[in-house]
Amino acid sequence: MKFTYTIEGGDFSKAGHASSSVKKVLKQLNVNSKVIKRIVVALYEGEVNVVAHAYRGKIEADINAERIYVRIEDEGPGIPDIGLAMTAGYSTASEKVREMGFGAGMGLPNMKKNTDELKVTSEVDKGTTVEMTTYLK
Amino acid sequence: MHNDFHHALVVDNELCYGCTHCMMACPTAAIRIDNGKAVIIDERCIDCGECMKACPVDAIFVEQDDFKKIFEYEYRIAIVPAVFLGQFSKKISVKEIVDAIKETGFTHVFLAEESAEVINEVMLNEYDSDRERPLISPFCPAVVRLIQVKFPGMVENIIPVKTPVDSTAMYVKKYMQDKGLPEKRTGIFYVTPCAAKIAALKSIPEDEIVINGVINMDMLYNKVYHIFKTRKGGNTIEDGSFTGISPKVLKWSLTGGEADNMKGRCLAIDEVHNVTKFLERVEDGDIINVDFLELRACDHGCAGGVLMTENRFLTVERIRTKADRIKEDLPEQPIEKYHGHLKANAGISEIEPRSMFKLDEDMEEAYRKMQRIRHLMCFLPAIDCGACGAPNCQSLAEDVVKGKAHLSNCIFIQRSMEKNRKLSNEHAIRLIEKVWGKDRLDKNCNKKGAENETD
């Protein structure tokens, strides 16, 4: 089953829409609540990343009885050094974003912690794609 | 605890005319219309009472014990929540209210929240545990049930502690024993402001039952009010010295009653839809660094209980006024001697999840059902009219997949079937009658708003 969501850069009020919707589906599938929590945390971080850093983005979640695969693709500045971005505490978020309580530099590290497989690809001045797979059992 | 999910809300089939108000108001989509009557689905109902509040003809009621049952006992004890004291004008003192309760037949009256100090202490001790944050109070049984069915992943946040009424009942029982009054001749009755408390009390395992019966608050209100209206003599002025209950105990069941007495970042949220929305956000990981949540299913806490007669704003104001008048140096209360005993016995077993969402225990089967639901949603009109007997299209689709309803219950699907000559007129009528009752399509001038409306 495929679910798609769009994200607008800068619109923090909508961040969490995809994770909330995916959560409902996983609950119906009787997925263990601890697993749901990991998936929801990772996806929420991903959504916030797009809102905070990119111009716009698209989320595709593909769910079957075995696993959930999420692909978050954005149009944005891209990440010059992915290794650095994966470091806990490292952040390029603007002052404005930090004031809103975001941008602590835990986005990607948190996503890595909460997914079984994480792949980040990025091109500077074009955008970033994050792929996450988590097994449901 | 709560292995048996007892429910206290009952539909009176004589009065119910299948209007869908309750079905649309239910926060857990637990009501369907079948054969012209509302039907409550046990697994989904959380006993919040929203349906009862929404019913235009009082067809939903809260089952209670026969008041006469109290006279089976020689010692008849009423455990009364503080909000009852806010049901009457400020000119009527607490003592007068207590005396009037006794006049209805009780020999002793205790305040349900009397043990709140003990419960407060036990909850504060949880701060040192490694329990998941935010800690959630188990005070409101409808909220506990809401979390069980709708937020099963958060049951571990609920502090496993007795509610004040359970702890107070334990104190009352021991107090009476210590006074040498035989247990068999002592009947403890709880006067409830809502359906959820009854449902929770009746779900307690047989061997742990302390409370012998439940009386609805509106019934006691009528009895007490009648005494005030018919008696002779003037009112006495409140002197605030009744039993020396503390302001904290008095305000415990109002919004903020618990949150104001907990540590760290505490939030008090009332009304079931507000609670649901907030828990959604906590579950999404969107709200962090909150230590304690006081959650109540009713607006203004127990003052907004479904069995309250008086306006909830007035109730709150009166209780706050009473609390403000209480002198600071309170005499020692009998309950304080039992502090250690109550504290040692305040624990309950962990709350179990009972998800209402899962389409099947087996994930693969659930997945297949989910696919079918999504497919059915392609055909349903998504206007959530309720004419199929389910509160919205999504619920109908789920019911169909669970084998509990037919897609042809949808009147839009019926039209399209008729258009394609897959449904005869007679069959369409039969389908309507199945959901809405045999005579639903007949002219009836007795219904609400019609020419010969009868009440």
Side-chain angles (χ1 to χ4, degrees):
Chain A
M1 282 182 289
K2 283 197 173 61
F3 302 83
T4 54
Y5 311 90
T6 53
I7 317 173
E8 209 52 52
D11 188 0
F12 283 93
S13 66
K14 297 273 162 56
H17 177 66
S19 51
S20 200
S21 153
V22 163
K23 181 185 74 184
K24 286 200 181 81
V25 174
L26 297 174
K27 275 187 183 180
Q28 289 190 298
L29 295 181
N30 198 25
V31 175
N32 180 295
S33 55
K34 296 231 160 41
V35 179
I36 297 181
K37 198 165 184 183
R38 291 180 65 222
I39 295 167
V40 166
V41 166
L43 182 50
Y44 180 69
E45 290 284 4
E47 282 181 82
V48 170
N49 272 351
V50 176
V51 176
H53 302 288
Y55 315 129
R56 66 192 62 84
K58 191 174 79 180
I59 296 177
E60 272 177 27
D62 182 35
I63 303 171
N64 62 31
E66 306 293 321
R67 56 110 187 95
I68 173 169
Y69 166 81
V70 179
R71 182 186 165 92
I72 309 172
E73 201 178 332
D74 73 44
E75 291 168 40
I79 305 171
D81 185 341
I82 291 173
L84 198 57
M86 296 294 288
T87 315
Y90 177 78
S91 175
T92 57
S94 67
E95 198 55 42
K96 190 180 145 205
V97 167
R98 282 169 196 255
E99 271 171 20
M100 294 164 85
F102 299 97
M106 293 308 292
L108 281 172
N110 225 347
M111 286 158 77
K112 189 173 172 58
K113 199 177 97 188
N114 286 297
T115 44
D116 293 340
E117 288 160 22
L118 175 77
K119 190 179 160 200
V120 185
T121 48
S122 187
E123 201 175 325
V124 174
D125 292 334
K126 279 207 125 163
T128 303
T129 300
V130 174
E131 292 166 274
M132 300 186 283
T133 303
T134 299
Y135 297 93
L136 302 180
K137 281 176 196 167
Chain B
M1 181 179 148
H2 300 218
N3 291 330
D4 171 23
F5 224 42
H6 183 92
H7 292 293
L9 291 160
V10 185
V11 179
D12 183 338
N13 279 340
E14 290 294 311
L15 293 173
C16 176
Y17 66 105
C19 69
T20 76
H21 289 189
C22 57
M23 180 172 85
M24 294 310 200
C26 177
T28 56
I31 298 179
R32 300 290 182 274
I33 311 290
D34 187 37
N35 203 16
K37 309 289 172 194
V39 180
I40 301 174
I41 304 169
D42 281 353
E43 303 87 65
R44 286 178 166 253
C45 175
I46 59 167
D47 291 275
C48 65
E50 288 298 307
C51 52
M52 195 174 156
K53 291 175 191 166
C55 182
V57 292
D58 296 330
I60 296 178
F61 64 97
V62 178
E63 57 166 18
Q64 63 178 327
D65 289 304
D66 187 351
F67 194 81
K68 289 192 197 97
K69 193 181 161 188
I70 73 166
F71 297 105
E72 288 170 17
Y73 301 90
E74 193 176 335
Y75 304 101
R76 304 175 288 276
I77 294 149
I79 297 186
V80 182
V83 284
F84 188 71
L85 306 175
Q87 299 292 288
F88 305 96
S89 146
K90 272 181 246 177
K91 287 180 187 147
I92 298 172
S93 73
V94 175
K95 187 176 181 308
E96 283 176 292
I97 297 170
V98 172
D99 287 346
I101 294 172
K102 286 183 181 165
E103 227 177 293
T104 67
F106 289 101
T107 56
H108 298 72
V109 180
F110 289 85
L111 197 68
E113 293 86 0
E114 235 176 291
S115 60
E117 291 284 355
V118 178
I119 303 301
N120 196 181
E121 255 185 63
V122 175
M123 290 206 295
L124 284 166
N125 287 344
E126 274 297 313
Y127 277 74
D128 302 322
S129 75
D130 50 12
R131 185 172 297 284
E132 190 89 13
R133 300 299 140 108
L135 299 172
I136 297 176
S137 163
F139 177 89
C140 174
V143 165
V144 170
R145 290 182 168 201
L146 176 75
I147 294 172
Q148 284 180 293
V149 300
K150 218 166 176 172
F151 303 95
M154 288 174 70
V155 289
E156 288 163 26
N157 297 57
I158 303 172
I159 303 172
V161 62
K162 278 196 170 79
T163 57
V165 55
D166 283 335
S167 186
T168 299
M170 179 181 241
Y171 150 63
V172 169
K173 188 180 171 187
K174 190 122 180 57
Y175 175 82
M176 297 303 279
Q177 277 171 355
D178 292 354
K179 282 200 138 191
L181 304 173
E183 198 183 324
K184 276 196 174 151
R185 278 147 61 193
T186 305
I188 302 178
F189 291 82
Y190 175 57
V191 180
T192 184
C194 67
K197 299 254 189 210
I198 304 185
L201 285 171
K202 301 252 169 176
S203 301
I204 291 174
E206 193 84 33
D207 55 325
E208 289 174 28
I209 291 175
V210 178
I211 290 170
N212 303 84
V214 184
I215 306 295
N216 287 352
M217 196 176 279
D218 54 351
M219 135 95 81
L220 188 68
Y221 171 86
N222 283 335
K223 286 183 179 291
V224 167
Y225 199 67
H226 188 256
I227 289 167
F228 289 142
K229 279 288 164 195
T230 52
R231 76 163 172 205
K232 295 172 186 77
N235 296 324
T236 54
I237 298 301
E238 175 81 80
D239 61 359
S241 65
F242 162 50
T243 53
I245 38 173
S246 73
K248 178 195 202 169
V249 162
L250 209 50
K251 292 190 283 188
W252 193 256
S253 69
L254 304 182
T255 301
E258 295 171 277
D260 290 349
N261 292 291
M262 295 300 285
K263 277 191 308 192
R265 192 167 166 219
C266 306
L267 282 161
I269 295 151
D270 59 14
E271 204 276 325
V272 68
H273 297 93
N274 295 335
V275 169
T276 305
K277 278 183 192 148
F278 197 86
L279 288 176
E280 290 281 358
R281 292 192 57 184
V282 174
E283 199 181 41
D284 290 348
D286 187 13
I287 291 170
I288 48 169
N289 302 328
V290 172
D291 296 294
F292 176 80
L293 289 178
E294 169 199 304
L295 307 173
R296 309 279 177 79
C298 293
D299 181 25
H300 281 65
C302 294
V306 71
L307 296 171
M308 304 297 282
T309 309
E310 185 54 284
N311 175 281
R312 60 189 180 279
F313 299 94
L314 283 173
T315 302
V316 170
E317 187 249 358
R318 286 167 181 168
I319 288 174
R320 290 198 184 281
T321 307
K322 284 191 197 301
D324 290 345
R325 281 185 194 159
I326 292 170
K327 296 180 194 91
E328 268 179 33
D329 49 337
L330 295 170
E332 198 195 60
Q333 293 302 296
I335 194 170
E336 285 169 45
K337 290 192 185 71
Y338 297 86
H339 196 95
H341 173 71
L342 294 180
K343 203 172 165 185
N345 292 288
I348 54 167
S349 48
E350 293 282 335
I351 313 285
E352 297 290 332
R354 34 181 309 138
S355 170
M356 68 174 199
F357 286 110
K358 61 182 176 205
L359 295 166
D360 205 284
E361 283 297 332
D362 176 57
M363 214 186 284
E364 263 147 67
E365 189 51 37
Y367 182 75
R368 277 191 286 275
K369 285 181 177 167
M370 179 105 206
Q371 278 180 311
R372 281 193 61 206
I373 289 168
R374 299 234 300 162
H375 184 66
L376 292 177
M377 286 302 286
C378 299
F379 299 95
L380 292 169
I383 59 166
D384 298 341
C385 63
C388 60
N392 49 55
C393 297
Q394 180 76 32
S395 294
L396 176 64
E398 287 175 24
D399 289 352
V400 170
V401 165
K402 287 176 185 163
K404 290 176 179 167
H406 298 284
L407 192 59
S408 55
N409 286 3
C410 172
I411 55 167
F412 288 82
I413 299 283
Q414 287 171 21
R415 285 292 90 79
S416 104
M417 285 167 77
E418 280 170 315
K419 190 177 141 200
N420 298 320
R421 300 187 188 284
K422 282 183 182 158
L423 183 71
S424 68
N425 264 338
E426 293 74 29
H427 192 179
I429 299 295
R430 278 206 304 278
L431 287 171
I432 292 279
E433 285 177 343
K434 170 84 183 62
V435 177
W436 298 102
K438 200 107 192 82
D439 46 9
R440 198 50 178 263
L441 295 169
D442 300 344
K443 179 183 177 189
N444 175 3
C445 298
N446 296 328
K447 71 167 82 82
K448 213 176 160 68
E451 285 168 359
N452 306 328
E453 176 178 351
T454 50
D455 194 10

